[in-house]
Amino acid sequence: MTFDDTAIDWLAGILAEAAQAEIMPRFRRLGDGDVRQKTSAADLVTEADVNAERLITTRLRERYPSAMVVGEEACSDDPALLDGLGDADLAFVIDPVDGTFNFASGVPLFGVMLAVVVKGETVVGIIHDPVGKDWLIGAKGAGSHIRHAHGSLEKVHVVAPAPISEMTGSVSWQYMPEPERSRLARNQTKILSQFAYRCAAHEYRLLASGHAHFVVYNKLMPWDHLAGVLIHAEAGGHAARFDGSAYLPSHLGGGLLVAPDQQSWHELRRELWAE
């Protein structure tokens, strides 16, 4: 079965279903055995992540039995599940709880993210906010919108370009190797202000809706970025890897700089990496 845009509402619905059934009932109610470390004390998985991904995966396989389904938690157990994402005829990429550290800490900044990839190209991105009960949705060639809980659609657009001294952004220098780590940490003082949500879902929402200028990411797992980059692009923004090349679903490295437009991208690339 092929994918078409009429399925976007259905996809948005299953993200909300997972949030209502598996995520929100556990928010601020996690027991001692409901949270586990993956790679560090800052990299967590909860029963909400596991169960929400299972529900979404089940719904997707029922409707699209031949599609590739790539979930963060399934890939944590079996990284080989990522193989072939860039070549699949149809793939769905799931982050069941983006911002798990916040969720486990009782902070209401987390989201459910899903991207649709067709033959190596991201064509739909959906970010659901379980707390606000709305969606940020982008579709290739159709722009990006917030679908509010009451049903109305609000078109979003990135902020107008500005000098770097007037920009608000986020630099994830803590994931960088030296000497890049120290250089970025030092040079981020050139900007007006910074944010650090520990949640790509809400950071992409901030950028796509015109409330901040840029983000710098080093770690490129597809469930963290495919949906957000597509939504941001459809809101008028520009994103590329650190070497200027396009970010694709098959990429797991190379870093990512997300900016209001191409000129801003080049200014940020020059100033943030300056010796």
Side-chain angles (χ1 to χ4, degrees):
M1 186 174 185
T2 58
F3 179 84
D4 63 72
D5 288 352
T6 61
I8 292 176
D9 288 347
W10 177 81
L11 290 172
I14 65 170
L15 300 192
E17 179 189 358
Q20 183 177 3
E22 303 292 353
I23 298 172
M24 292 309 294
R26 293 180 169 89
F27 183 49
R28 296 178 176 166
R29 298 181 180 91
L30 292 168
D32 292 340
D34 294 336
V35 184
R36 302 182 300 280
Q37 289 189 19
K38 291 198 282 189
T39 61
S40 72
D43 184 14
L44 306 177
V45 61
T46 74
E47 288 302 297
D49 298 74
V50 173
N51 286 290
E53 182 172 305
R54 185 179 295 127
L55 187 156
I56 296 167
T57 299
T58 297
R59 297 287 185 269
L60 289 170
R61 294 198 187 285
E62 288 170 352
R63 181 160 175 162
Y64 300 98
S66 61
M68 182 179 184
V69 179
V70 177
E72 177 181 8
E73 305 315 327
C75 287
S76 180
D77 294 334
D78 182 7
L81 293 174
L82 273 169
D83 296 346
L85 177 59
D87 302 316
D89 289 337
L90 175 62
F92 298 94
V93 181
I94 311 161
D95 192 339
V97 182
D98 183 72
T100 298
F101 184 89
N102 293 342
F103 177 81
S105 303
V107 177
L109 278 175
F110 51 89
V112 189
M113 304 174 74
L114 183 142
V116 183
V117 178
V118 175
K119 299 184 184 301
E121 180 181 29
T122 309
V123 297
V124 173
I126 305 174
I127 299 174
H128 177 56
D129 178 2
V131 177
K133 297 183 178 179
D134 61 10
W135 302 260
L136 182 60
I137 300 173
K140 187 74 175 178
S144 292
H145 299 78
I146 293 175
R147 178 175 296 160
H148 295 283
H150 50 73
S152 68
L153 284 178
E154 176 189 352
K155 188 173 178 63
V156 295
H157 199 278
V158 298
V159 69
I164 192 169
S165 62
E166 298 175 17
M167 287 189 183
T168 295
S170 175
V171 181
S172 296
W173 51 263
Q174 63 270 30
Y175 297 106
M176 307 285 186
E178 292 288 7
E180 196 172 26
R181 175 188 178 103
S182 295
R183 187 182 307 142
L184 285 163
R186 180 184 69 247
N187 285 332
Q188 69 179 344
T189 60
K190 296 177 180 180
I191 69 173
L192 177 66
S193 64
Q194 59 183 340
F195 58 88
Y197 287 173
R198 299 189 71 145
C199 176
H202 279 279
E203 290 172 353
Y204 278 115
R205 178 174 179 140
L206 201 66
L207 267 66
S209 55
H211 298 295
H213 294 85
F214 75 93
V215 288
V216 176
Y217 296 114
N218 189 52
K219 187 178 178 183
L220 295 190
M221 301 314 293
W223 43 79
D224 288 327
H225 301 292
L226 291 181
V229 167
L230 186 277
I231 289 167
H232 181 262
E234 288 298 319
H238 178 75
R241 295 199 295 169
F242 295 161
D243 65 0
S245 63
Y247 168 57
L248 302 175
S250 58
H251 291 152
L252 300 179
L256 187 64
L257 172 57
V258 184
D261 63 3
Q262 193 167 13
Q263 183 175 340
S264 300
W265 189 97
H266 285 289
E267 181 182 0
L268 286 161
R269 182 68 178 87
R270 180 179 66 252
E271 294 295 331
L272 290 175
W273 275 263
E275 296 286 353

